[in-house]
Amino acid sequence: MPASFKVTKASLKIKITNANTSATPTLNLDSIGAKTVILQSGAALVAGDLNGEHTFRWDGTNMVVMDAPGKYLGDGMIIAVGRNIASRTNSATPNSKIDITADELCVRDANGRAKLLSTVSVTVDITVSGANGLDTSTEASNTFYFGWVIAKADGTVAGLISVSATAPTMPSGYTFKALVTAVRNDGSSNFIKYRQVGNKAHYEAQNSAFN
């Protein structure tokens, strides 16, 4: 994949001169060597995802494209519909908590029935289980997790973190859900800091990743 690039702080801004034709294209940059390009969700690309200027982050194993068109949270995923949706790592506890806010957010149950939530504001902690925590099991390192907003029929609202982008394990009584965000942790199981507005997220990469 012919490319010209420049390093901008801790990310790579790369101009792709020929669109990818493979689902597993590679970038070969200096001492890092040829590394497979993946989406932020960890999923493979599709042909044509890379064409023009893109931002990449080296995660220690792969080159993660941060802005493939329409692919911010992975190919084929249905992202939440709402107004002024935002998410970020929690400012006080960024290693283990994420915040999700929205003026309005549409959640759906298994039968497709919709519920409109207003003034959503949840903080989700991956170190706890259930509502406002991890849906099941314990945290694994170097893993993408997905942030959901969930609700009960009576309007009770919570957040949920899951390895699943399609079918999180729902806490008792919660039947409505919407996928809002994705976050990856590092080898020490600390979240990589990010900020999301709408369906576009920007992640902080560590300078040491490019040494």
Side-chain angles (χ1 to χ4, degrees), residues 23-41:
T24 56
T26 61
L27 286 175
N28 192 340
L29 303 174
D30 300 327
S31 60
I32 295 176
K35 301 299 178 183
T36 301
V37 179
I38 61 172
L39 298 172
Q40 291 186 42
S41 65

Side-chain angles (χ1 to χ4, degrees), residues 3-20:
S4 59
F5 71 94
K6 59 182 178 180
V7 177
T8 305
K9 294 184 178 179
S11 64
L12 292 173
K13 181 73 73 173
I14 301 175
K15 184 176 182 181
I16 307 299
T17 56
N18 295 313
N20 65 298

Side-chain angles (χ1 to χ4, degrees), residues 3-211:
S4 59
F5 71 94
K6 59 182 178 180
V7 177
T8 305
K9 294 184 178 179
S11 64
L12 292 173
K13 181 73 73 173
I14 301 175
K15 184 176 182 181
I16 307 299
T17 56
N18 295 313
N20 65 298
T21 57
S22 166
T24 56
T26 61
L27 286 175
N28 192 340
L29 303 174
D30 300 327
S31 60
I32 295 176
K35 301 299 178 183
T36 301
V37 179
I38 61 172
L39 298 172
Q40 291 186 42
S41 65
L45 281 68
V46 297
D49 273 350
L50 303 179
N51 190 9
E53 194 169 90
H54 298 280
T55 300
F56 294 82
R57 179 179 59 79
W58 165 239
D59 70 0
T61 303
N62 299 295
M63 295 297 296
V64 181
V65 59
M66 310 304 291
D67 53 4
K71 309 288 182 175
Y72 297 112
L73 299 180
D75 186 40
M77 297 180 191
I78 300 175
I79 309 305
V81 175
R83 184 166 60 89
N84 292 333
I85 299 171
S87 181
R88 60 173 294 171
T89 38
N90 181 265
S91 57
T93 316
N95 290 340
S96 60
K97 296 180 180 181
I98 63 171
D99 299 327
I100 300 173
T101 60
D103 290 348
E104 292 181 333
L105 184 67
C106 181
V107 293
R108 295 182 181 275
D109 67 10
N111 296 313
R113 291 187 292 263
K115 177 183 287 291
L116 183 64
L117 307 178
S118 299
T119 317
V120 174
S121 180
V122 296
T123 296
V124 197
D125 186 347
I126 198 170
T127 66
V128 303
S129 299
N132 291 319
L134 182 63
D135 64 344
T136 185
S137 190
T138 57
E139 182 181 7
S141 61
N142 289 317
T143 301
F144 267 100
Y145 286 92
F146 298 90
W148 296 79
V149 170
I150 58 176
K152 296 182 178 180
D154 64 7
T156 301
V157 177
L160 193 68
I161 292 174
S162 176
V163 293
S164 176
T166 56
T169 300
M170 300 286 278
S172 178
Y174 288 87
T175 55
F176 292 83
K177 65 182 184 294
L179 174 62
V180 177
T181 192
V183 59
R184 184 180 174 90
N185 63 11
D186 60 21
S188 299
S189 295
N190 295 325
F191 286 151
I192 297 170
K193 292 181 180 179
Y194 77 98
R195 183 185 296 271
Q196 175 181 332
V197 177
N199 289 345
K200 183 177 289 188
H202 299 276
Y203 286 74
E204 288 186 14
Q206 299 175 353
N207 288 320
S208 60
F210 300 101
N211 292 336

